[in-house]
Amino acid sequence: MFKELLAFKKPTDACSCKLQKVTAEVLGEFNSSFKLACKGSEMVLQHRISLLFLIFSCLIVLTDSCNSRCLANIIIAKKMKSAPQGDGCTVNVTITSMQYETLSFDTKNMQMSSRVKINMIWIDRDLAWNDTTSNATAVMLPVDKIWTPELVLDNVIDVTVKPYNNDVQVTRNGIVDYAVILFISVSCNDINLFSYPFVKGECSVAINGWNQSYCALNLTQPTNITNVGGIQGEWETVSVTVEQNETAKNRKQLLVSLSVSPFSAVVTLILPSVLIMLADLVTFALPVQGGERNNLKVTLVLSFTMFLLILNDHLGSGGRCSPILHYHFCFCLVNLVLSMVMSILLTRLTLDERFLPCKCSKNLNPPHRTASLRQDEADAGVIAITKSSDLPSEVASLQKIVNFLENIDQKEQVANSNVAFVDRLDKICFCFFLFIDIIYIIIVVIVTRTDLCKEKKKVFWDTEDYSINYTDLYYYHHQHYHYYYNYFFNDTEY
């Protein structure tokens, strides 16, 4: 027996230095008791009792010396990868804290990318231990060696789940402390972009457990959520709250309140369009004669087309409530094109008396006046080549010269009246476009201050009924079993 005690090999995780000391004491006492036993038989019983007491103390030391690593290996060996099976087949998971961060927001596709860190705890009685197993209060276990809850995200487009670290903490009462990070992408079509860039809206992120006929994963969410990183681009995360769904009583969702910082959109979209419209009104101060005004108006139209391309890349259609900027840019483009066309027509009138260079075009002057002017031009040619020989012919030549000068004055008067008529038309066009712009500004202010378009909230909850009547299911399969049995073995026709 001495040799067995001396040859006892120390376990890697079960014994300590205290065990060696106790073993040495046991051997010393046993040797002394053996020597005393030789002196008299009356001392044998007493020393045997002492020996048994010391051996029992050694066994207690062996059982109490299991450290945290030893305990972790014992729990891992159980292979508890299935969910805790309670009496009601229900697992209750409590989220102790939740940290939300908006990573990006795609305005054109109305998609929001977020990062959510969730700390959760639950009780697994099969992972608990008592004082006889170990004195450790908590132990660290690999996350892939035990069961961890799978969360249900109803309205996500894409999700990536990563554990916060590779270990989970388990206390002696079976309380498991676990942290997970979710990288999610959700659709935010409920946000109304009609008054963009002055937009405030809410986007939902549904994070819940699951519920079937008998088994369920009940998720208790916190009341307060930490919001990290408020501004991402032009969108700002104002607040994040937990809201109970009205239709599904056992469903909750994270309600992310968002708003747009209007500075960027105003500087890059609204302000340039307003300045281009103002420049178009200022071009009416240029003279109609010549092509300076027309060149400037064509340049403004081409410049505004570039802003239309920028708007198309920046904003989507917006669904039923399209952003009012689409209508604004459409109005500005139509206004600029009409102003350019009117300016070209007025320039045409100053150069010629017809709107179009065709024979059927309507002249501003009557035909007899044009014929007389052509006759005067012919007379001027005759005067230039006629030589005076006598007095009557000279008088006739002088008369033709007078008529020619009078016709030149008449042409100047016609040209001046034509220019005056074009100037009046130009002023009328200027007043018309100015009046249209003022009315448009008033309409835009009224429309943006009233909620004319409202988006309907989409229902994204899984409304499938998981409740199954297992009695009816049993009779259904039983009936089909008898049908196939009689068909194949008894040749019974139905």
Side-chain angles (χ1 to χ4, degrees):
M1 184 175 181
F2 288 16
K3 294 180 179 180
E4 293 177 356
L5 290 174
L6 290 173
F8 182 82
K9 187 177 180 180
K10 177 183 177 183
T12 56
D13 294 320
C15 298
S16 60
C17 296
K18 184 177 180 180
L19 177 61
Q20 295 179 353
K21 294 180 181 180
V22 173
T23 305
E25 293 177 358
V26 171
L27 294 175
E29 292 293 334
F30 196 82
N31 289 331
S32 62
S33 62
F34 180 75
K35 293 178 181 179
L36 292 175
C38 297
K39 295 181 181 180
S41 59
E42 67 276 4
M43 302 291 293
V44 175
L45 182 60
Q46 181 179 359
H47 288 286
R48 286 181 179 179
I49 295 173
S50 300
L51 179 61
L52 292 175
F53 178 75
L54 291 175
I55 292 175
F56 180 73
S57 300
C58 178
L59 293 176
I60 294 176
V61 172
L62 286 173
T63 56
D64 291 342
S65 60
C66 187
N67 57 11
S68 298
R69 191 170 186 180
C70 169
L71 180 61
N73 292 331
I74 294 174
I75 297 176
I76 292 172
K78 295 181 180 181
K79 298 181 179 180
M80 296 295 178
K81 292 186 178 182
S82 60
Q85 303 295 323
D87 296 335
C89 190
T90 300
V91 182
N92 297 317
V93 178
T94 302
I95 297 179
T96 57
S97 63
M98 187 179 295
Q99 186 182 81
Y100 177 86
E101 179 182 3
T102 301
L103 299 179
S104 62
F105 197 98
D106 188 358
T107 308
K108 184 176 182 179
N109 299 320
M110 292 304 293
Q111 292 183 5
M112 180 180 66
S113 299
S114 307
R115 175 186 178 272
V116 183
K117 179 188 175 184
I118 301 176
N119 295 325
M120 61 186 81
I121 59 173
W122 67 92
I123 298 177
D124 191 347
R125 298 296 182 184
D126 296 328
L127 301 180
W129 67 90
N130 51 25
D131 294 337
T132 59
T133 304
S134 177
N135 290 328
T137 57
V139 67
M140 302 296 294
L141 298 177
V143 69
D144 57 343
K145 298 300 181 180
I146 63 171
W147 175 85
T148 54
E150 293 287 341
L151 303 178
V152 177
L153 294 91
D154 294 279
N155 65 328
V156 298
I157 300 174
D158 186 22
V159 59
T160 302
V161 182
K162 293 183 179 180
Y164 184 69
N165 50 37
N166 295 325
D167 297 320
V168 295
Q169 176 182 297
V170 181
T171 62
R172 63 188 308 154
N173 296 327
I175 300 176
V176 184
D177 193 351
Y178 174 61
V180 67
I181 297 178
L182 305 177
F183 294 93
I184 58 179
S185 178
V186 298
S187 177
C188 300
N189 292 325
D190 293 339
I191 297 179
N192 190 355
L193 293 180
F194 181 74
S195 59
Y196 181 87
F198 306 97
V199 175
K200 292 182 180 179
E202 296 174 343
C203 188
S204 300
V205 180
I207 302 177
N208 291 278
W210 50 268
N211 186 9
Q212 294 184 357
S213 56
Y214 292 134
C215 299
L217 174 65
N218 295 330
L219 198 65
T220 303
Q221 298 186 3
T223 56
N224 296 325
I225 298 176
T226 304
N227 183 20
V228 180
I231 300 177
Q232 292 296 332
E234 64 177 356
W235 288 86
E236 179 182 2
T237 305
V238 180
S239 63
V240 183
T241 58
V242 178
E243 185 184 63
Q244 180 75 37
N245 186 261
E246 298 177 357
T247 58
K249 298 300 181 182
N250 57 343
R251 298 286 186 177
K252 291 184 178 181
Q253 58 187 357
L254 302 183
L255 207 61
V256 183
S257 299
L258 300 169
S259 65
V260 178
S261 178
F263 178 77
S264 177
V266 168
V267 171
T268 58
L269 295 176
I270 299 178
L271 183 60
S273 64
V274 173
L275 293 178
I276 289 176
M277 294 295 295
L278 182 61
D280 180 70
L281 291 177
V282 174
T283 55
F284 283 95
L286 296 176
V288 182
Q289 298 81 6
E292 292 82 3
R293 178 194 287 191
N294 297 333
N295 293 334
L296 182 56
K297 286 185 176 293
V298 171
T299 304
L300 292 177
V301 172
L302 295 178
S303 301
F304 196 80
T305 306
M306 181 187 67
F307 287 103
L308 285 178
L309 297 177
I310 296 175
L311 178 66
N312 188 34
D313 294 336
H314 186 73
L315 285 179
S317 61
R320 189 174 64 90
C321 296
S322 181
I324 196 174
L325 275 182
H326 287 291
Y327 305 101
H328 168 70
F329 276 66
C330 181
F331 169 80
C332 293
L333 182 61
V334 172
N335 197 349
L336 289 174
V337 172
L338 288 178
S339 176
M340 181 186 67
V341 171
M342 292 299 297
S343 178
I344 293 174
L345 291 178
L346 293 178
T347 304
R348 172 69 182 177
L349 291 178
T350 57
L351 300 177
D352 196 355
E353 299 172 355
R354 296 175 294 179
F355 284 104
L356 296 175
C358 59
K359 294 181 180 180
C360 60
S361 300
K362 183 179 178 180
N363 296 332
L364 292 179
N365 294 325
H368 66 277
R369 181 178 297 180
T370 304
S372 63
L373 292 176
R374 291 177 181 176
Q375 183 64 32
D376 294 338
E377 292 177 357
D379 294 339
V382 173
I383 293 172
I385 62 175
T386 302
K387 295 181 178 180
S388 60
S389 58
D390 51 1
L391 183 60
S393 61
E394 290 180 358
V395 172
S397 299
L398 291 175
Q399 185 64 34
K400 291 181 179 179
I401 292 173
V402 171
N403 293 333
F404 176 73
L405 294 176
E406 289 179 353
N407 290 333
I408 290 176
D409 293 336
Q410 187 178 3
K411 284 183 179 181
E412 291 179 355
Q413 292 177 0
V414 171
N416 292 332
S417 64
N418 192 17
V419 171
F421 176 74
V422 172
D423 289 338
R424 287 194 298 271
L425 288 180
D426 189 40
K427 292 179 181 179
I428 293 174
C429 291
F430 171 76
C431 295
F432 172 76
F433 284 106
L434 181 60
F435 176 76
I436 291 297
D437 291 341
I438 294 174
I439 295 299
Y440 173 72
I441 293 174
I442 296 174
I443 293 175
V444 169
V445 172
I446 295 175
V447 169
T448 53
R449 293 191 176 272
T450 57
D451 194 5
L452 295 180
C453 185
K454 294 183 179 180
E455 288 282 357
K456 295 181 180 179
K457 291 187 177 181
K458 297 182 179 180
V459 179
F460 51 81
W461 302 106
D462 187 6
T463 58
E464 182 180 357
D465 189 7
Y466 290 99
S467 60
I468 302 174
N469 191 340
Y470 288 94
T471 304
D472 295 340
L473 185 64
Y474 169 77
Y475 284 116
Y476 174 79
H477 287 286
H478 184 70
Q479 182 181 1
H480 280 70
Y481 169 76
H482 282 287
Y483 170 79
Y484 289 111
Y485 181 82
N486 293 329
Y487 181 80
F488 286 105
F489 295 99
N490 297 333
D491 295 332
T492 304
E493 294 183 0
Y494 291 90

